[in-house]
Amino acid sequence: MIRVAIVEDDALIRAGVAAVLGAEADLSVVGQGADGDEAVALVEACRPDVLVMDIRMPRLDGIEATRAVCATDAAPPVLLLTTFDGDPDVVAALRAGAAGYVLKRHPDDLAPAIRRVAEGEVWLDPAVAGQVLAALASLPVSGSPGVVVAGLTAREREVLALLAEGLSNTELAERLFVGVGTIKTHISRILFKTGCRDRAQATALAFTSGLVVVR
């Protein structure tokens, strides 16, 4: 059973999302919130496996809420809901640590997307995945390797350092006392935030940034 929390300011949409997920045998809605300010408290109270959150909300939007959630040690993967194709905030949200996004007009994608990100993978709406990835790839790396690594959360830097030691996902999970899915999520976020293509590039970044020092 995958435990899901929902944060959405529109009560009707929130109820609709809960109803769609409640019809799935392997998904359970364990908590709901009305805005980004409630996201961190909801995650800490309910400990969901996945957080489904609207990208556009009053007070604290989905981007900043994603950044706040991802900074917590036991952060679940964040799956964002957006209304239209080409939402410029999607790229910013992915850079903030989101594991993917679903268009609200494609409700049938929601359950598969939740299952995918719960396994530590990334979900991009198939219709616009190419342009999102192109936008991510075109973003310049701001600053030196040290500055790039400084943009990671403390937990992500810890994972990156251990990754550079050659630890497998299972070994990382055992070392940090978390599930393998959580480790996969951390690695996905590290790759998105740093622009690294794979674990090998991330390992190289760990050394060139000074995060890991050869002794």
Side-chain angles (χ1 to χ4, degrees), residues 20-206:
V20 168
L21 301 185
E24 300 291 329
D26 60 335
L27 305 180
S28 174
V29 177
V30 296
Q32 299 183 39
D35 59 53
D37 281 339
E38 298 180 12
V40 173
L42 183 64
V43 165
E44 291 177 345
C46 301
R47 297 294 180 182
D49 299 310
V50 177
L51 175 64
V52 175
M53 183 161 56
D54 190 7
I55 199 169
R56 296 181 181 275
M57 296 181 290
R59 298 201 293 174
L60 190 68
D61 64 25
I63 299 172
E64 293 305 318
T66 294
R67 187 171 286 111
V69 167
C70 291
T72 62
D73 284 347
V78 177
L79 184 65
L80 292 167
L81 299 174
T82 185
T83 303
F84 57 93
D85 298 358
D87 186 341
D89 287 343
V90 165
V91 172
L94 292 171
R95 299 286 287 187
Y101 73 98
V102 173
L103 295 175
K104 290 182 179 180
R105 69 171 182 272
H106 295 166
D108 290 345
D109 287 342
L110 188 54
I114 288 172
R115 296 183 185 105
R116 179 78 63 82
V117 301
E119 290 297 317
E121 299 181 27
V122 172
W123 177 278
L124 302 179
D125 184 270
V128 290
Q131 67 189 65
V132 171
L133 290 172
L136 282 170
S138 68
L139 289 175
V141 176
S142 56
S144 65
V147 172
V148 173
V149 169
L152 302 176
T153 67
R155 176 62 93 175
E156 288 164 352
R157 288 194 295 273
E158 185 177 14
V159 171
L160 179 57
L162 293 174
L163 190 66
E165 293 182 14
L167 272 64
S168 67
N169 287 351
T170 299
E171 291 168 334
L172 282 165
E174 292 173 351
R175 180 77 66 88
L176 298 176
F177 303 103
V178 297
V180 172
T182 298
I183 293 299
K184 289 180 179 179
T185 297
H186 283 311
I187 292 174
S188 294
R189 288 174 179 153
I190 289 168
L191 298 182
F192 264 126
K193 288 184 176 183
T194 62
C196 291
R197 182 181 62 251
D198 50 32
R199 293 167 70 109
Q201 277 197 347
T203 296
L205 177 64

